[in-house]
Amino acid sequence: MEQLNNHLFSTINQFAGQNQFFDYLFICFAEAMPYAFIALVVILWFCSKEQSKRYLISATLTSVVGITINTLIAQVYFHPRPFMNDLGTTLVAHAPSTSFPSDHTTFMFCITFSLLCHQTTRTVALGLTVLAVIGGLSRVYIGVHFPFDIAAAAVVSGFAAMVVHAARYKLQACYNMIIATGEVLTKRML
């Protein structure tokens, strides 16, 4: 499995450092994509009706669950990043922490998978899924993750989305409180 992971990494990362424009583009995708997801959730919050706000809260909660799972995995399993094994070309500095699974990618997939659970947000979620894949593979391109880190992020995110979606009825009172608080704060700001 490790050989396959290394081979897939080399296949994607081999292009890093070859073209300055593509390097810059993929660095932007890898580093900025989670912030684009945050901005989109905030924008959608202010443009949405109450039910869609519940979906956005659910997506945010899913991200918290997903990142928590990653933190637990990191406590019991350490996998070095490619540059820690002198593999490939690294385009950005990164702490020598565990690479498995990718937190950036988990965050993005948690948002997408959570929104895929609801019919009214599926179109947006499908577009976000494409962006999450691009963001995740960009992390491989820039040399800070292996492909299996990205795949594991998708699995963790899918699990987190299922857990939160299964608990949605129990969370309604909490969602309603958050929505009401948000409305009060928004009115005070205006």
Side-chain angles (χ1 to χ4, degrees):
M1 288 296 264
E2 194 65 27
Q3 283 182 319
L4 176 60
N5 202 17
N6 289 343
H7 174 72
L8 292 172
F9 169 79
S10 296
T11 301
I12 296 168
N13 180 257
Q14 69 180 328
F15 302 105
Q18 304 295 319
N19 181 297
Q20 192 173 13
F21 172 75
F22 284 118
D23 289 351
Y24 179 75
L25 183 67
F26 284 106
I27 289 170
C28 286
F29 287 152
E31 298 291 315
M33 197 75 76
Y35 297 106
F37 275 63
I38 292 168
L40 181 65
V41 168
V42 170
I43 290 166
L44 289 174
W45 175 269
F46 288 107
C47 299
S48 296
K49 296 186 183 331
E50 190 172 315
Q51 187 58 42
S52 292
K53 287 181 180 183
R54 284 187 182 88
Y55 302 154
L56 295 170
I57 296 166
S58 179
T60 303
L61 179 58
T62 300
S63 297
V64 171
V65 171
I67 297 300
T68 301
I69 293 170
N70 283 2
T71 302
L72 295 173
I73 291 170
Q75 298 303 310
V76 296
Y77 177 71
F78 181 87
H79 192 273
R81 292 180 183 275
F83 60 83
M84 295 167 72
N85 290 335
D86 294 323
L87 293 175
T89 301
T90 308
L91 298 179
V92 297
H94 199 289
S97 54
T98 187
S99 69
F100 184 89
S102 166
D103 286 337
H104 284 79
T105 309
T106 298
F107 173 77
M108 292 183 288
F109 275 124
C110 280
I111 298 291
T112 63
F113 291 164
S114 179
L115 295 177
L116 279 170
C117 293
H118 311 286
Q119 187 174 1
T120 58
T121 55
R122 277 198 191 124
T123 303
V124 170
L126 289 172
L128 290 176
T129 301
V130 172
L131 293 178
V133 169
I134 291 169
L137 292 177
S138 294
R139 307 284 298 161
V140 177
Y141 178 95
I142 68 170
V144 297
H145 277 291
F146 287 99
F148 284 8
D149 303 338
I150 307 310
V155 171
V156 167
S157 301
F159 177 75
M162 287 189 305
V163 167
V164 173
H165 187 69
R168 68 190 177 281
Y169 298 117
K170 294 178 182 174
L171 296 168
Q172 287 304 313
C174 181
Y175 291 175
N176 292 339
M177 183 183 71
I178 293 169
I179 291 167
T181 303
E183 288 175 1
V184 167
L185 293 174
T186 303
K187 287 177 183 173
R188 286 186 184 169
M189 290 171 46
L190 300 176

